[in-house]
Amino acid sequence: MISLLQSEWFKLRKSKFVFTAILLGPLITFFYALTLQPDKFGFEKIFLWEFLIAFTTLLYALHFLPLTTGILAGLICRYEHQNGGWKQLLAMPVTRNQVFLAKYTILILIALTIQLLYLLAIWTSGVLKEAEEPFPMMLLWKSIFGGWIATFPLLALQLWMSMLFKSFAAPFAVNVVFTLPAILAVNSEKFGPLYPWAQPFLMMYVSGDAENDIFFVPWEQVLTVVGGSFLIFFFGGLLYFRQKENI
Amino acid sequence: MEYIVETHNLTKRFGKEIAVSALNLKIPKGEVYGFLGPNGAGKSTTLRMLLGLMRPTAGSVRIFGRDLKKDRISILRNVGSLVESPSYYSHLTSYENLEAMRKILGSPKEKIDEVLELVHLSKAADKKVKGFSLGMKQRLGIAMALLNDPKLLILDEPTNGLDPSGIIEMRNLIKRLPKEKDMTVLISSHLLSEIDQVATYVGVISKGKLIFQDSIKAMRKKAQLKIRLKVSDANNAYRSLLAKGIKTDYQDNIIYLYEQSDEAVAAVVEILVDEGYSVYRVEEEHQSLEDIFLKMTAGGDDR
């Protein structure tokens, strides 16, 4: 299994697009953060950290994170779809479960990396803007970790779609179709908590009233919406891949 | 005889269409088994089932004496394959392609240089596969198949896209492997001439059915020159010859002689005349392997 992970990462890192895709969200966050002027919004500088986090989350968690994971999910199957890679891979001593799990694991590890780079982007921009100490580490960890968890079901569906479609564009289009309504969903009290694509934002958005929870949303929501959609998408994709005949 | 591959009533159905029908392949150890059949006869489907890429509708596969369904992983550890068009990652160099596989197989790194050398790709080791010719991709595919030192090598139309010198090289390589590396080789082709040059054992498939399976010698025997005798009361004439200790074949009122020397033919004719049979015709019937193959694959049109 470890060797399969190494092989997957080896193939992926040789692709030009991967690092661009990984850096895209954090870099845009960084430059966006630099342009933000808290006084224009009537904030005091003492809350600069909170201000930066709140404003960048909107852009990053709502759009760039889900879109980037979609691109990466597409990339991780792209090289198998081209030139008969699937049959080469599956004729080796590996099971389909292992292949699916290896690809999924690589994806969630990359998502974690992107989250950490986002953290770095916030910190660097804050320091450059001379934000006052202390850096709200606890708050941000919660946000980084929660956002990461929220990408699990998204990545599972994206992997499924990218295994299903031979073309790179089709799964990406599916992803965009689901991602765009998230901005409407987060504004809806009723629909927002139920919509998987809204979860990265909801779980990253720093809200004061959730001090006691581990994440910024109630546990029930994490378990049912994130956990539930994860189970459906993950096992849906896995079953599809196991049944796939025409390789 | 020890069989490396044995299938039992292996069948694959796609909807209503039967692609492979109750196949009983037997591939003896250490042979180069030529799997021969016209395009669309079910060769690739069979090979895919042997590799576990496709599930059989019915029947079973045993490789190295173990059930493929139960021991797929441990079996595949000792199988190398190139099925249909060569598979590769075009954004990687040939070395990197092999490295991506090596990581999974756990073979030593030196193995990569060794197999590249074997297929004469050492010079192109650091070139991206994107720019390769079909022949080079084919060689890379064979290098990939050899990376894990397989005990069973499965090659689907291995000379596809190779130039004449490449084809000869490939044939020599395939012939060498069983002796030098203790390998059993299964190669498929729709060209008899291809199989004829390398195979020691042949299986002919047509419309999903295995219509011939034996050593290439036995197949050649079928293709040999035959002497046809047309005589009066052929059935009794055949018996009389048999009584005199002369072995012949009898089919549709025609007697076929095994011995073909002038003396043997003359002796047979003499006996027949002595016994009072009229000899109408003594003819030579010539059949090439190609004729045999065509006759085999044209028949069985009963679906």
Side-chain angles (χ1 to χ4, degrees):
Chain A
M1 187 67 202
I2 302 266
S3 56
L4 198 54
L5 284 173
Q6 287 173 337
S7 178
E8 282 300 326
W9 173 237
F10 179 78
K11 284 183 289 193
L12 199 59
R13 79 180 158 88
K14 293 282 173 184
S15 162
K16 283 172 268 181
F17 311 107
V18 171
F19 295 100
T20 321
I22 291 176
L23 289 174
L24 188 71
L27 269 183
I28 288 179
T29 301
F30 174 69
F31 289 115
Y32 178 60
L34 283 185
T35 62
L36 286 172
Q37 302 293 336
D39 29 328
K40 275 194 191 157
F41 293 90
F43 282 93
E44 287 180 49
K45 209 172 179 189
I46 191 162
F47 293 120
L48 184 67
W49 288 120
E50 285 77 3
F51 170 78
L52 286 179
I53 295 164
F55 272 78
T56 54
T57 314
L58 203 60
L59 186 73
Y60 170 80
L62 214 47
H63 296 300
F64 281 102
L65 184 60
L67 290 179
T68 311
T69 57
I71 293 173
L72 290 164
L75 278 177
I76 209 165
C77 290
R78 181 152 180 255
Y79 299 111
E80 264 75 30
H81 282 310
Q82 294 174 337
N83 311 312
W86 284 120
K87 64 177 159 42
Q88 186 73 47
L89 180 58
L90 296 174
M92 278 199 268
V94 292
T95 64
R96 295 199 182 194
N97 287 356
Q98 286 171 338
V99 171
F100 187 87
L101 202 63
K103 287 191 184 288
Y104 186 72
T105 308
I106 294 285
L107 288 176
I108 57 173
L109 289 179
I110 294 179
L112 181 62
T113 311
I114 296 176
Q115 287 291 86
L116 294 176
L117 287 171
Y118 167 78
L119 181 70
L120 187 69
I122 294 285
W123 182 77
T124 327
S125 59
V127 168
L128 287 176
K129 288 175 95 69
E130 293 166 342
E132 278 164 42
E133 301 284 333
F135 182 59
M137 208 56 204
M138 273 317 291
L139 214 60
L140 262 172
W141 273 128
K142 221 175 187 178
S143 165
I144 296 296
F145 192 62
W148 182 50
I149 302 280
T151 61
F152 286 14
L154 269 56
L155 277 168
L157 181 78
Q158 288 160 347
L159 182 60
W160 182 359
M161 291 301 115
S162 99
M163 283 178 161
L164 183 66
F165 296 108
K166 236 183 149 159
S167 88
F168 186 70
F172 188 72
V174 172
N175 189 31
V176 172
V177 164
F178 281 118
T179 305
L180 291 182
I183 195 156
L184 302 174
V186 293
N187 286 314
S188 152
E189 294 247 330
K190 235 166 68 190
F191 196 52
L194 296 175
Y195 192 59
W197 278 261
Q199 302 310 309
F201 174 77
L202 294 175
M203 289 184 73
M204 285 187 80
Y205 191 70
V206 178
S207 47
D209 56 322
E211 289 287 324
N212 298 325
D213 267 319
I214 295 189
F215 301 112
F216 296 119
V217 297
W219 259 117
E220 303 87 71
Q221 189 177 327
V222 177
L223 285 179
T224 54
V225 178
V226 177
S229 57
F230 166 76
L231 288 179
I232 293 169
F233 296 152
F234 183 85
F235 286 103
L238 184 62
L239 282 180
Y240 164 75
F241 186 54
R242 286 170 56 105
Q243 297 299 319
K244 194 173 163 133
E245 277 267 274
N246 197 13
I247 297 228
Chain B
M1 207 183 297
E2 189 186 346
Y3 295 113
I4 291 294
V5 179
E6 237 178 314
T7 69
H8 181 69
N9 287 336
L10 190 64
T11 303
K12 180 71 193 179
R13 207 176 295 133
F14 295 111
K16 273 189 174 169
E17 191 207 351
I18 299 173
V20 171
S21 166
L23 223 57
N24 291 304
L25 285 182
K26 284 186 191 331
I27 303 180
K29 187 171 193 254
E31 308 275 344
V32 177
Y33 186 103
F35 194 33
L36 192 57
N39 290 329
K43 295 191 296 288
S44 289
T45 306
T46 307
L47 298 188
R48 279 161 179 266
M49 287 193 283
L50 293 186
L51 291 167
L53 291 175
M54 241 178 210
R55 267 179 283 266
T57 311
S60 62
V61 177
R62 293 183 78 80
I63 299 181
F64 310 130
R66 282 170 290 173
D67 189 352
L68 181 68
K69 222 172 169 178
K70 286 192 203 115
D71 291 326
R72 185 171 166 271
I73 298 289
S74 68
I75 288 171
L76 287 183
R77 242 183 261 289
N78 291 307
V79 176
S81 66
L82 168 59
V83 179
E84 284 168 315
S85 54
S87 310
Y88 52 90
Y89 299 108
S90 60
H91 69 301
L92 304 180
T93 66
S94 33
Y95 189 92
E96 287 165 350
N97 261 284
L98 289 161
E99 174 63 14
M101 278 185 86
R102 190 201 66 82
K103 282 185 191 296
I104 297 176
L105 296 169
S107 336
K109 277 210 161 175
E110 303 81 64
K111 209 55 212 167
I112 296 181
D113 295 312
E114 192 189 317
V115 293
L116 279 173
E117 182 70 47
L118 209 59
V119 298
H120 303 291
L121 272 183
S122 302
K123 277 186 200 141
D126 296 321
K127 292 209 178 92
K128 287 221 161 61
V129 180
K130 224 178 276 177
F132 276 23
S133 67
L134 181 56
M136 287 167 88
K137 286 174 187 162
Q138 192 78 13
R139 283 158 200 259
L140 176 63
I142 290 169
M144 286 172 161
L146 291 170
L147 193 60
N148 59 337
D149 264 327
K151 294 206 167 54
L152 170 66
L153 180 66
I154 298 180
L155 301 174
D156 197 2
E157 311 264 358
T159 51
N160 249 359
L162 296 182
D163 53 23
S165 71
I167 291 177
I168 292 169
E169 249 169 49
M170 192 55 58
R171 276 183 203 144
N172 291 337
L173 178 66
I174 291 170
K175 276 194 234 174
R176 252 167 45 209
L177 290 171
K179 281 173 226 138
E180 288 175 15
K181 309 252 174 175
D182 194 27
M183 244 178 237
T184 303
V185 184
L186 166 58
I187 67 168
S188 79
S189 179
H190 61 283
L191 297 172
L192 176 78
S193 54
E194 213 44 72
I195 298 290
D196 190 26
Q197 311 246 11
V198 293
T200 54
Y201 226 81
V202 194
V204 180
I205 186 173
S206 171
K207 300 189 172 109
K209 287 185 182 135
L210 196 65
I211 51 178
F212 178 85
Q213 179 170 246
D214 208 331
S215 68
I216 191 115
K217 275 189 199 128
M219 189 165 177
R220 287 217 185 93
K221 216 171 192 173
K222 282 195 146 194
Q224 268 169 8
L225 195 98
K226 277 182 180 166
I227 304 287
R228 282 160 51 106
L229 282 177
K230 216 173 159 197
V231 300
S232 61
D233 199 7
N235 197 357
N236 282 327
Y238 163 72
R239 281 162 213 266
S240 318
L241 287 174
L242 206 60
K244 293 256 193 257
I246 297 172
K247 266 197 92 183
T248 57
D249 256 342
Y250 173 72
Q251 236 176 46
D252 300 330
N253 284 323
I254 307 276
I255 296 169
Y256 293 92
L257 300 189
Y258 284 112
E259 278 290 328
Q260 287 151 9
S261 64
D262 291 347
E263 294 79 17
V265 176
V268 168
V269 173
E270 203 181 321
I271 292 166
L272 288 173
V273 173
D274 276 355
E275 304 258 322
Y277 299 100
S278 313
V279 178
Y280 304 137
R281 273 180 177 74
V282 182
E283 295 170 325
E284 226 176 54
E285 191 182 84
H286 197 80
Q287 272 200 101
S288 67
L289 262 190
E290 205 71 55
D291 290 334
I292 299 268
F293 174 50
L294 285 176
K295 227 178 248 174
M296 279 178 180
T297 51
D301 219 343
D302 46 8
R303 285 181 34 224

